[in-house]
Amino acid sequence: MIKTEFDYTEEISWCPGCGDYKILESLKMALSELGLDPKEVVVASGIGQAAKMPHYLKCNCVNGLHGRALPLATGIKASNRSLTVIAVGGDGDMYGEGGNHFIHAIRRNPDITNIVCNNMVYGLTKGQGSPTTEIGMKTPTQPFGVTSKPLNPLLLALSSGATFVARASAADTERTKNIIVKAIKHKGYALIDIFQPCVTFNKINTWQWLMKSTKWLDEERDASDKFEAMRLSMESSPYPLGIIYRTEPGRTFEENQAPYETNDDTPLYARAPSLESVRKLLA
Amino acid sequence: MDMTRAPGSDVAISFCAAAGLGLQTAEDLTRQMLSKAGYYVFSTREYMSRVRGGNNSTQIRVSTQPVRAYVERIDWLFALSPELHSNITENITEETKILADASVMEKEISSLGRKMIDLDLAKRAADLGSPKFSSMIIAGFIAGIFMLKEDSADDLIEKRFSDSDLSEKNKKAFRVGLKLGEEYVEGKPVLKIPDKPGDDEIFLDGNSAVALGSASAGCNYITAYPMSPGTGVFSYFARNAKLFSSVVEQVEDEISAINMVVGAAYAGARAMTTTSGGGFVLMCEGLSLAGITETPVVVHLAQRPGPATGLATRTEQADLELALYAGHGEFPKALYAPVNVESAFKMAGQAFYTAHKYQVQSIILTDQYLLDSGYDIKKPDPSAIPAPISPIKTESGYERYAFPAKGKYVSPFGVPGFGKGFVSFDSHEHTEDAHITEDRSLRKGMVEKRLKKLEAMAEEALPPIVLGPKKYDTAVICWGSVFEPLKEAMEIIGWKKAALVACEQVYPLSDEFCKIISSPCKKIFVEGNATGQFARIVRSLTGEKADELVLKYNGFQFTVEELVRELDKLLEKKS
Ligand SMILES: Cc1ncc(C[n+]2csc(CCOP(=O)(O)OP(=O)(O)O)c2C)c(N)n1
Ligand code: SF4
Ligand SMILES: [Mg+2]
């Protein structure tokens, strides 16, 4: 493992062999490769195993509520545009509890990167079914098997208007890192759903399953065809990995907001109240 | 008991019409021209939760003295749509002059045993070219009964209608109405013009006051999910986003609304969200997040009657206990309850000040009545609102939750990207540098650190407004928008050795308030809810029990007359 400025040296509480270690490694490598100043990076999360990730990085760590990383991250970015803001969490966090925010954050298009560590299970709460769990998987709370259909995050993101949609894998830190680099550079909302084995609670979607059931797309391919992207999103044998869709991001949430209209990047904390405006309205 | 002020000093005009009929123009013009002419004017609205039809009303009180409260008396009723509601019909008396179109209202009015004056609006408006001119004829009629000059509303009409042809036609309609009004009062104005110190006054309603107070405090991030009556403040910000240089976002739900402002405030924005009870409940977890992360946020909670959807467009004061206990776990917060329009401006500023000074959450409790009522006030001074507190430039090794230095209550507030330190944020119980901890003594220390702020907040709590005789044997206690009707009622009653004690800050309680409460006087709480929530909170905090409760919870504000009747009885009883 290469050393980066973002390395955290204290204890990490994930299980040995968990896919989250690999995702953390890809993220640190990406941040480092981009030459970002850790003081200018905010990694925001909700609650879950994956959502502990901000604590395991040396940067501004924001650990909010289960499901609420996206509104939190959106508020941060729109208050200080010079920060690099990354929202990270699990499949339950982002697609279950935070499902509504997921859809609307995409529509809103803040310039943030959304990393979802998709282990198809609730890890932290000990193995219950998640929105991406396959039908039939037996869990402590679905002892006769999950009956609801799994959600397709890529398709949902595409249909909500996302301009950068990717799927990566904890089994390939290098390629995953490359995707994170591109996602951070993408000026707008970017989704990276990352397959991540949970060695403790998911006995179906294991490391072996991951190797067997996925196939990397050509890194150089033109990913701007949305219908092709939708088709790829629906493929499952094997699941395609890589950038599924990428196009011009359009105007971001921040760009549409009054404080930044004249391209003045002054963060909101450094702006004085507009008493003159109040007086004008009282005239 | 005379229920209102001296005759000849006060005229109450009510407008009733179905939603969508466009009476707003008549109401606005009436208010503006009478205010400009030198009268004191108060206006309030009550409306149904529907976009078309129904029957809504606006009351405009015109007076020779400052006037700020809602009365049940109706001197002049302009009724445009049939099926008047009981809040109107019950208050029509011999003296009420009812003006309407006979073709629309005759049957209904005579069934009430009353007579009406036929304005023949439909025909007159049609003669002028469009039924839309009815509104202008009514405004003109009102100008006529006050004997205003015929050009007294010309500038207002020009402002309203940029199209000069349309503006001319409206002026003509106004003059038609004016003639009718003048004839009706036979040249004698219904009210003489007082000497009002005009100029530096402005008409403001509760909505604008909360928004302008917040803007003066530097609010530059506001979110909302639309919900009456919390939306008015948000719309005001949306309209003026450029002027205020503020982020304004209508979000997908109230959960997003609160989490987004928490994120914004963490990064240094001065952030607020506005909602009503149903949305506020959805914000509770987010409020608790702000609590443990010591993030300054302001929530405007515009109350309406519950439970659940309740009465969507009506008023109540039944979310006080909800606000006080909102959010799981224990953390300090400040609760403000503006008592009138001036207070709404000030309390909005105060809410930001306290939130940022103590890194806590401030809740501004208003209600539909306060937000939708307005009158002329002395222009508020935005520079009287405390200036925002700037974040510190962090040093390397900065710890967001460092235990405060001796004599201090808060950790220095840094923001990410400003200085050499990392600025972190954690919803778990955390270490001083914002990482997860389960250390028992650290946990205890952090709980105490957060709660200790309450001591300083209580010391700084705003004292109540106390009016009436210096020596009193009864305290009539209220909070929020009940203040103005109650004040007028007490003036009419003649105080009777009772003082009016009104709280603009309901939590923490000020020493001054606690002193009054623990003095041996009789305590009467007047509240717009069914159970006396403030009385209960005061009792739990001070041990002092209310002697009497005067409560209202039918969706309407107390009228002055109602309070006169109630309090006269209660204050009589004691002596
Ligand atoms: C409001 C709320 N509900 C429930 C929980 C409990 N909870 C914490 S994490 C979690 C699910 C975690 O699953 P996921 O997001 O997939 O993360 P993972 O642990 O698998 O990485 C749940 C249900 C909570 N913290 N907050
Ligand atoms: S429970 Fe699963 S997801 Fe959580 S740390 Fe262990 S292996 Fe990883
Ligand atoms: Mg999971």
Side-chain angles (χ1 to χ4, degrees), chain A residues 20 47-51 66 90-94 97 117 119 121-125 130 196, chain B residues 285:
Chain A
D20 282 336
I47 295 293
Q49 296 287 31
H66 187 46
D91 42 325
D93 205 11
M94 294 290 181
E97 188 85 54
C117 304
N119 55 9
V121 75
Y122 285 179
L124 186 66
T125 47
S130 91
Q196 168 239 329
Chain B
E285 195 195 12

Side-chain angles (χ1 to χ4, degrees), chain B residues 499-543:
Chain B
L500 169 54
V501 179
C503 290
E504 292 176 290
Q505 176 161 6
V506 280
Y507 190 79
L509 294 172
S510 63
D511 285 349
E512 292 86 345
F513 179 77
C514 294
K515 230 173 253 153
I516 294 171
I517 276 293
S518 51
S519 72
C521 64
K522 177 174 174 180
K523 286 125 210 150
I524 302 174
F525 280 75
V526 185
E527 301 188 49
N529 57 54
T531 59
Q533 297 194 8
F534 188 48
R536 195 153 52 233
I537 289 172
V538 169
R539 187 177 185 188
S540 84
L541 294 172
T542 65

